[in-house]
Amino acid sequence: MNPGDVNLQQLLEQAQLMQQQLVSAQQELSDAEVEGSAGGGMVVATVNGSGELLELEISPLAIDASDPEETAQTIADLVLAAVRDAVRAAGELQQEKLGPLAQGLGGGLGGQLPGF
């Protein structure tokens, strides 16, 4: 075998290991919960590591009974901000869990896979 030849058995083993690590990381993300908030905590959104909305809490302090129209708009704005904050946090968690695996595709195999 020439020094530049690829050891297919070793490459297959590395690919299987990376697949197992990816499945494990995806399960961790699915199980993880992160929060985002808005309005000083008046609205709190909880998402899993995949970005799926799990829970939404709205404090009664966010409700002004004397101005229902303005309150409805304010709550809608706070909900959007809280969900966006939670999804951003989930994205950071995804990068933390999946980033090293993505780097492994290009560098961990010695650059032996074309296109990676």
Side-chain angles (χ1 to χ4, degrees):
M1 180 154 58
N2 293 328
D5 288 345
V6 176
N7 181 332
L8 292 179
Q9 181 62 33
Q10 183 182 17
L11 192 60
L12 180 59
E13 288 172 5
Q14 288 177 338
Q16 289 173 336
L17 178 61
M18 287 183 67
Q19 182 179 11
Q20 291 170 352
Q21 291 171 337
L22 179 61
V23 168
S24 176
Q26 288 173 328
Q27 185 60 49
E28 285 181 43
L29 285 172
S30 180
D31 294 341
E33 293 184 9
V34 294
E35 288 185 350
S37 65
M42 285 198 294
V43 175
V44 178
T46 304
V47 300
N48 65 15
S50 301
E52 179 183 357
L53 184 62
L54 302 174
E55 187 176 342
L56 185 65
E57 297 175 31
I58 301 172
S59 168
L61 298 175
I63 300 170
D64 180 1
S66 67
D67 192 355
E69 188 173 326
E70 180 66 27
T71 295
Q73 186 58 53
T74 298
I75 290 173
D77 292 342
L78 290 173
V79 166
L80 281 174
V83 170
R84 287 180 180 148
D85 188 41
V87 169
R88 178 201 49 75
E92 290 174 3
L93 183 61
Q94 289 172 2
Q95 181 61 36
E96 178 185 315
K97 296 289 183 187
L98 299 176
L101 294 174
Q103 290 172 351
L105 287 174
L109 298 176
Q112 297 174 353
L113 292 178
F116 287 98

